[in-house]
Amino acid sequence: MLKLENVVAGYGRTRILNGVSMNVPSGGLVALLGGNGTGKSTTLKSIVGLVAVQQGQVELNGNAINAVPAEERVAHGLSLVPQGKEVFSAMSVEENLLMGAFHRRRDRKMIAEDLEGIYGRFRRLKERRRVDAGLLSGGERQMLSIGRSLMARPSVLLLDEPSAALAPRVVEEIAEAILNLRSLGLTLLLVEQNVGMALDIADYIYVIRGGRIAYEREVGSGIAMEELQEFYLGAERH
Ligand SMILES: Nc1ncnc2c1ncn2[C@@H]1O[C@H](COP(=O)(O)OP(=O)(O)O)[C@@H](O)[C@H]1O
Ligand SMILES: [Mg+2]
């Protein structure tokens, strides 16, 4: 469904991705792992069009989307939950969620239904719907950030380190929420530094290093955690 073929991308003259190839099948939950600054966020940004692809191809459902502007990629079903649990602090939880549906503003009835769907999935967001987003806990902000992306009715959801800086109990809640989305049929690409969490929920993993995919494997095919962690830590030394 989502495919990257030898994607080269970066900032100005600085190349960060040197030919990244990945495949995220429809309904799959794929994790992209790697050390700090290895290009995980850059990969997600190149998929949603926030970073220009210089060479190679990003394909969605068999169509190259390199030339499609970022705003339009949302309408194609791509949605990014950015790193850092960014929310509009001075706006209420509900206003934040509604921002996620801005591109289909006229669709009032559907938007109201989607809002209820998200409140059903994230009960705490419902309880806090009138509260300023700036007052939420880290876990609640992450849920809000995911909820806002869901308001765009994506078919492919990209999540950038949703578990970062959260207590283990909250990480579990987020992991459950992600599995839940998968069971609804969403296609998911998850960037994580939390290797354990990624192995718990993903069915396939990629490790990025030196701007390329350096390791990939199906989860459950006997991935040795030690092998992976050694590789992962090795990546950080580079
Ligand atoms: N807007 C930017 N301008 C210039 N360099 C950037 C920018 N964003 C990220 N970088 C650099 O690109 C590299 C990869 O960053 P990033 O994709 O954010 O890594 P990761 O998400 O794996 O931690 C880093 O060296 C980072 O400093
Ligand atoms: Mg990042």
Side-chain angles (χ1 to χ4, degrees):
M1 159 159 256
L2 174 66
K3 195 172 178 184
L4 278 75
E5 254 178 26
N6 291 314
V7 167
V8 173
Y11 304 94
R13 285 172 189 275
T14 315
R15 264 194 184 189
I16 304 298
L17 308 182
N18 293 309
V20 169
S21 296
M22 293 175 65
N23 203 2
V24 185
S26 183
L29 203 179
V30 170
L32 174 62
L33 309 173
N36 254 327
T38 49
K40 302 181 299 300
S41 296
T42 303
T43 302
L44 296 187
K45 287 178 191 165
S46 71
I47 294 170
V48 296
L50 296 174
V51 165
V53 171
Q54 295 161 8
Q55 283 174 47
Q57 195 147 290
V58 179
E59 273 180 32
L60 187 63
N61 299 318
N63 303 310
I65 56 164
N66 290 27
V68 178
E71 320 79 83
E72 277 176 42
R73 293 193 202 192
V74 179
H76 281 71
L78 283 173
S79 187
L80 170 66
V81 181
Q83 194 170 359
K85 308 168 184 58
E86 290 164 28
V87 293
F88 301 102
S89 306
M91 290 167 64
S92 72
V93 165
E94 188 151 304
E95 285 165 343
N96 267 272
L97 289 172
L98 291 172
M99 289 295 286
F102 69 94
H103 73 291
R104 52 192 185 93
R105 206 174 278 153
R106 274 179 236 127
D107 225 346
R108 288 230 183 110
K109 188 160 170 269
M110 248 165 75
I111 289 173
E113 278 171 21
D114 288 353
L115 202 53
E116 282 315 308
I118 284 160
Y119 286 147
R121 195 158 301 124
F122 300 113
R123 303 289 288 278
R124 239 166 321 145
L125 294 185
K126 182 167 190 174
E127 288 161 18
R128 313 207 70 184
R129 65 205 285 177
R130 307 277 170 233
V131 171
D132 276 359
L135 297 172
L136 299 179
S137 69
E140 288 166 346
R141 280 209 315 279
Q142 185 60 70
M143 285 170 194
L144 179 55
S145 186
I146 294 173
R148 192 178 54 202
S149 278
L150 291 175
M151 287 300 286
R153 289 211 165 191
S155 51
V156 181
L157 190 66
L158 315 172
L159 298 129
D160 199 348
E161 297 199 28
S163 81
L166 296 177
R169 183 184 48 81
V170 186
V171 171
E172 259 174 56
E173 269 182 64
I174 298 290
E176 261 172 48
I178 293 170
L179 283 174
N180 224 300
L181 295 176
R182 191 254 189 90
S183 69
L184 293 176
L186 250 85
T187 301
L188 296 145
L189 175 56
L190 170 70
V191 158
E192 265 303 333
Q193 298 248 24
N194 186 333
V195 178
M197 187 259 216
L199 287 179
D200 272 350
I201 64 173
D203 27 61
Y204 201 91
I205 56 150
Y206 289 94
V207 179
I208 186 170
R209 167 160 135 180
R212 285 194 180 84
I213 298 301
Y215 178 99
E216 62 179 278
R217 185 139 323 165
E218 201 173 325
V219 178
S221 64
I223 278 194
M225 182 75 175
E226 284 137 44
E227 178 195 353
L228 179 59
Q229 263 181 341
E230 200 182 298
F231 204 91
Y232 190 78
L233 294 172
E236 292 203 320
R237 272 188 238 111
H238 272 247

